[in-house]
Amino acid sequence: MKHFVFLIFMIFFVSVIFAMPTISDMINNPSAYDGKFLTVQGQAVGSVMRRGDYAWVNMTDGTQTLGFWMPYSLARQIKYTASYDFKGDLLTVEGTFVAMSLKHDGDMEFDVSKIVKIIPGEKIVHTIDFDRIIFLIVISVIAFVLWILKKKFFTPKI
Amino acid sequence: MSKKTVYSDLKIINYYTAKIVETMGWVMTIPLVTALIFEEWNTAIDFGIGMAISFVFGFTLEILCRDHQKEMDWLHGMFIAAYAWIILIIIDAIPGYLSGHYLSFLDAVFDVMSGFTTTGLVLIQRMYDLSIGMNMWRALLTFVGGQGMIVLSLSFLIGMRGGYMMYIGEGKSEKLLPSFTKTARAIWDISLIYLAVGTIALFIAGLVIGLKPVSALLNGIWIFMSAWSTGGFAPHSQNILYYHSMLYMLITMVIFIIGSFNFALHYAVMNKNRKEIYKNIETQSFFITVLITFTIVAVGLVRNNVYPNAVILFTKGFYQLISAHTTTGFMNIYPSQFGSWGTLAMVGITIAMLIGGSTSSTAGGIKGMRIGIIAKSFVFETKKLFMSSKTIKVQKFHNQEDIDLDNEVIKNAMVITMMYILSFVVGLIITLIYKYPIEKAAFEVASALGNVGLSTGITSPSMPDVLKVLFIILMWVGRLEFMAVIAFVAYPFMGAKRR
């Protein structure tokens, strides 16, 4: 019974994953998805740019990035966007892909109607590479010694 | 070739190259300090290493070549311009490579060459988690590259002999002031004035479109540097599309059009000689070629029914055309969308990329001056067929002053133009070996050679290494306008025979 449930789960999981186009799929083949109601997943990047009651959120699938146009009330749910210091929230959204938006100067966009799921991002801890620090110290000392030598003994007389 | 001559040449070449490498080492303090301010410790370490390697390299060469001869000739200047660029792209790629955003060191070198030549083609990955310090460095690469690393070095190295030869070698020719050190400083003064004005404009626009103040300021600085230098680097992988704003797009367009004009024109306008704007052969040539190439692009887009209305056609088509013509490379469409543009529109953009901006500007391409000279001489030669010899007058063109359109001027313009076309054809043939469609290959080669940065998607980390090296060479020869590269390549065969 356990195996059967697992199998059903896997079939469901795989079918959901394969039915869900990636952001790159939509950008590379816009006519195939134009006007379709889809479920899409992506990581929020950069800034949430508020425009009145709506906002732009750029989302990436790791390869390409697309603008998602959504009510600001939805965008407010986003806590983290990807940057050097943070892993962005992973959003699953529903909405319509628009290959050429007439309301936004012909931009390709995804009009979000619902945020299905948010997996929160987190702060990225950058561990300092001590080998690099040692290398930096050694090479800085060499540069300093060379500078002294150059100034004291080898400055050309012009 | 006399060994003594070669030894003497190498000393003077390496001595001044060392000075240029050291100058760029000092430039790394800006991203280093930025990284420290934003507590990006690993980025700060990477730039510390980059600086230290620049200084070790520079000081060692200075010590080894301290007894160099004092007089520099044309060949030295030209050779240094080409050679210093090669050394710089290797040393200045170190911080980028250490950041972990490149698949290989070659990719990091590619991006530095792209930045210095103000091309804008990129192989960097995961731009969304790039540090602020690294973004600052990428903007600086285009800003310094646009003005010229040698121009920057000349600004500091007062009385540096042979500066003029290096200045010419780096693709600049105008002498704004009697001394070249003063000219180099004037170029920087002009750029810094625009930097202040442009950054303020983009900062305000950034606030209007919903960026937070710090982000609006940083994006303003970076986008200004890139636009003014006709560079095309942006802090986001979507390029200008990221901002989803017509206002932001229009401001960038104004900046990169101004940036594509000759520094001598800016200097004239700042000295209240505003007539120069419409009298100058390069501005005349620019407006005529924009009109012609945009007509080609628009006809192509209409024929293929790419955009549903004239406003969107203008927003996308004109922005991309101007971005191509000024050799900026900012994109408000995705690279894959060029696929729907059709051959005619792609030909229009490719021609615009090859024509490029003005001489002695931050732009690349054949340049408006040469196109203007060739067009004028063509019209004159045609007219001559129908005129009696008594009525023929000497033709002139205007660039700061009226200049005779003599055979020497025409020959120089033709030689550089032919070299561009030859390089384009060679680059296209090599790219076609890798089985890319011809219109995409032509587009990408023109983009690299003209230092533009628009892409149909060929330029990517997965492209063959041979093409990466080819594009690095195309960007290099396109930016230095051949003479310095010819001196660099021909020196081992002919260098010392001149004595």
Side-chain angles (χ1 to χ4, degrees):
Chain A
M1 185 62 184
K2 265 185 185 173
H3 290 288
F4 180 70
V5 171
F6 180 70
L7 187 67
I8 295 292
F9 173 76
M10 282 308 291
I11 290 169
F12 175 74
F13 181 73
V14 168
S15 64
V16 167
I17 290 294
F18 281 93
M20 193 189 285
T22 65
I23 288 166
S24 296
D25 290 338
M26 294 187 292
I27 292 171
N28 295 335
N29 196 3
S31 56
Y33 298 99
D34 191 21
K36 289 191 176 161
F37 191 82
L38 302 163
T39 304
V40 180
Q41 199 176 59
Q43 185 184 186
V45 301
S47 303
V48 173
M49 290 177 277
R50 187 177 181 177
R51 308 281 165 90
D53 294 335
Y54 283 79
W56 280 109
V57 178
N58 291 299
M59 288 182 8
T60 183
D61 60 6
T63 308
Q64 299 213 62
T65 310
L66 181 69
F68 286 68
W69 177 246
M70 61 180 79
Y72 184 64
S73 55
L74 294 180
R76 281 176 63 185
Q77 296 175 37
I78 299 167
K79 271 194 172 175
Y80 298 106
T81 54
S83 65
Y84 180 74
D85 288 321
F86 294 98
K87 187 180 166 194
D89 291 353
L90 191 64
L91 277 77
T92 306
V93 298
E94 280 178 4
T96 309
F97 174 71
V98 185
M100 198 176 294
S101 168
L102 294 178
K103 66 184 177 204
H104 292 127
D105 311 313
D107 282 1
M108 191 186 286
E109 69 187 43
F110 192 95
D111 290 347
V112 178
S113 53
K114 184 181 169 189
I115 295 180
V116 179
K117 189 179 170 188
I118 299 181
I119 300 171
E122 58 192 3
K123 178 140 178 74
I124 299 170
V125 180
H126 294 279
T127 49
I128 292 174
D129 186 340
F130 283 96
D131 288 347
R132 280 192 197 179
I133 292 182
I134 291 165
F135 181 72
L136 173 61
I137 292 168
V138 171
I139 200 150
S140 300
V141 169
I142 295 170
F144 185 69
V145 170
L146 285 168
W147 181 73
I148 298 283
L149 286 173
K150 182 175 84 87
K151 284 282 168 196
K152 291 272 179 192
F153 305 108
F154 298 121
T155 301
K157 289 168 189 164
I158 298 174
Chain B
M1 191 185 289
S2 138
K3 271 188 182 174
K4 199 179 166 190
T5 310
V6 172
Y7 193 58
S8 164
D9 282 349
L10 286 177
K11 278 194 167 181
I12 192 167
I13 286 164
N14 279 297
Y15 181 81
Y16 285 112
T17 300
K19 291 278 186 193
I20 295 163
V21 171
E22 287 165 27
T23 305
M24 282 309 295
W26 286 115
V27 173
M28 283 190 204
T29 49
I30 298 171
L32 192 151
V33 170
T34 307
L36 291 174
I37 290 169
F38 289 94
E39 300 178 8
E40 298 168 336
W41 311 122
N42 283 333
T43 306
I45 293 167
D46 295 345
F47 280 102
I49 291 172
M51 273 182 84
I53 290 175
S54 301
F55 293 143
V56 168
F57 183 88
F59 297 156
T60 306
L61 279 188
E62 260 196 81
I63 291 169
L64 290 175
C65 305
R66 64 192 179 279
D67 56 343
H68 64 88
Q69 67 178 72
K70 301 295 176 270
E71 290 307 316
M72 186 188 287
D73 63 24
W74 276 95
L75 187 63
H76 294 137
M78 290 284 165
F79 193 97
I80 290 167
Y83 174 63
W85 276 63
I86 295 291
I87 301 290
L88 283 172
I89 59 164
I90 294 167
I91 293 177
D92 293 349
I94 291 168
Y97 180 65
L98 292 175
S99 74
H101 283 264
Y102 291 96
L103 280 184
S104 66
F105 190 70
L106 178 63
D107 288 12
V109 167
F110 182 101
D111 269 23
V112 173
M113 181 59 103
S114 179
F116 278 153
T117 56
T118 72
T119 302
L121 293 169
V122 293
L123 297 180
I124 195 166
Q125 298 190 310
R126 302 187 336 273
M127 286 191 73
Y128 52 86
D129 62 5
L130 200 60
S131 65
I132 293 170
M134 194 62 207
N135 267 314
M136 184 63 85
W137 176 235
R138 287 169 59 75
L140 277 167
L141 287 177
T142 60
F143 194 58
V144 173
Q147 291 26 263
M149 285 79 79
I150 289 168
V151 170
L152 178 67
S153 304
L154 280 174
S155 317
F156 293 108
L157 303 173
I158 301 162
M160 185 164 154
R161 291 182 175 88
Y164 180 50
M165 295 78 162
M166 289 190 273
Y167 177 77
I168 299 280
E170 207 176 30
K172 300 268 190 298
S173 55
E174 304 294 343
K175 197 176 170 185
L176 311 181
L177 292 163
S179 107
F180 282 95
T181 306
K182 284 182 180 167
T183 298
R185 283 188 182 168
I187 286 176
W188 275 99
D189 288 346
I190 291 167
S191 296
L192 292 174
I193 290 167
Y194 278 110
L195 172 66
V197 176
T199 301
I200 290 168
L202 287 168
F203 169 66
I204 294 166
L207 293 176
V208 170
I209 65 171
L211 295 175
K212 292 195 173 102
V214 174
S215 180
L217 179 64
L218 289 172
N219 278 271
I221 293 170
W222 298 333
I223 291 292
F224 172 82
M225 284 188 185
S226 192
W228 168 252
S229 310
T230 64
F233 274 180
H236 311 283
S237 62
Q238 289 152 288
N239 208 272
I240 291 301
L241 266 178
Y242 170 88
Y243 302 99
H244 306 285
S245 164
M246 178 67 92
L247 174 67
Y248 220 78
M249 225 166 59
L250 287 174
I251 295 173
T252 58
M253 191 156 76
V254 170
I255 296 169
F256 61 65
I257 289 174
I258 296 172
S260 76
F261 291 147
N262 195 319
F263 279 108
L265 180 65
H266 291 292
Y267 192 75
V269 172
M270 284 179 176
N271 285 291
K272 303 206 167 124
N273 180 12
R274 293 198 177 88
K275 283 182 184 170
E276 189 62 30
I277 295 173
Y278 56 85
K279 280 174 77 180
N280 193 291
I281 187 171
E282 291 200 287
T283 42
Q284 291 173 352
S285 162
F286 177 76
F287 288 111
I288 292 167
T289 50
V290 164
L291 196 67
I292 294 168
T293 49
F294 180 62
T295 305
I296 297 170
V297 169
V299 170
L301 293 176
V302 169
R303 260 179 42 176
N304 273 27
N305 208 15
V306 180
Y307 295 113
N309 60 50
V311 175
I312 295 179
L313 185 145
F314 196 79
T315 307
K316 301 295 183 189
F318 190 71
Y319 188 86
Q320 287 311 134
L321 186 271
I322 291 289
S323 177
H325 203 307
T326 56
T327 75
T328 305
F330 276 154
M331 293 183 75
N332 66 351
I333 60 172
Y334 287 96
S336 58
Q337 288 180 287
F338 275 123
S340 65
W341 274 37
T343 306
L344 187 61
M346 293 286 271
V347 167
I349 293 270
T350 305
I351 294 169
M353 288 195 285
L354 286 172
I355 293 170
S358 299
T359 51
S360 288
S361 71
T362 62
I366 293 169
K367 305 281 167 66
M369 169 90 78
R370 297 187 185 108
I371 298 294
I373 288 169
I374 292 168
K376 224 171 163 117
S377 65
F378 177 76
V379 170
F380 178 59
E381 290 300 323
T382 310
K383 270 186 185 172
K384 256 167 64 176
L385 296 173
F386 304 97
M387 291 161 79
S388 73
S389 55
K390 285 178 187 169
T391 56
I392 294 172
K393 287 182 193 166
V394 176
Q395 288 290 296
K396 291 180 187 293
F397 66 95
H398 186 85
N399 180 31
Q400 316 309 315
E401 58 187 352
D402 286 338
I403 301 166
D404 287 348
L405 189 67
D406 58 27
N407 285 342
E408 192 64 22
V409 170
I410 297 166
K411 189 184 80 185
N412 288 341
M414 288 296 287
V415 166
I416 299 288
T417 305
M418 291 311 294
M419 282 181 174
Y420 256 100
I421 292 167
L422 185 66
S423 305
F424 173 72
V425 171
V426 171
L428 179 60
I429 290 168
I430 296 171
T431 309
L432 286 174
I433 292 170
Y434 290 90
K435 301 195 171 18
Y436 290 107
I438 189 162
E439 69 267 25
K440 282 192 174 182
F443 187 98
E444 209 83 2
V445 170
S447 181
L449 181 65
N451 301 144
V452 182
L454 296 179
S455 174
T456 56
I458 291 177
T459 302
S460 72
S462 61
M463 76 196 279
D465 282 352
V466 173
L467 284 190
K468 287 176 189 172
V469 174
L470 171 73
F471 283 16
I472 288 173
I473 294 169
L474 289 175
M475 290 188 272
W476 182 52
V477 297
R479 174 65 173 82
L480 298 183
E481 298 195 331
F482 304 100
M483 297 318 291
V485 176
I486 289 169
F488 181 74
V489 175
Y491 176 80
F493 309 104
M494 304 174 71
K497 285 185 186 170
R498 70 195 189 279
R499 299 205 175 149

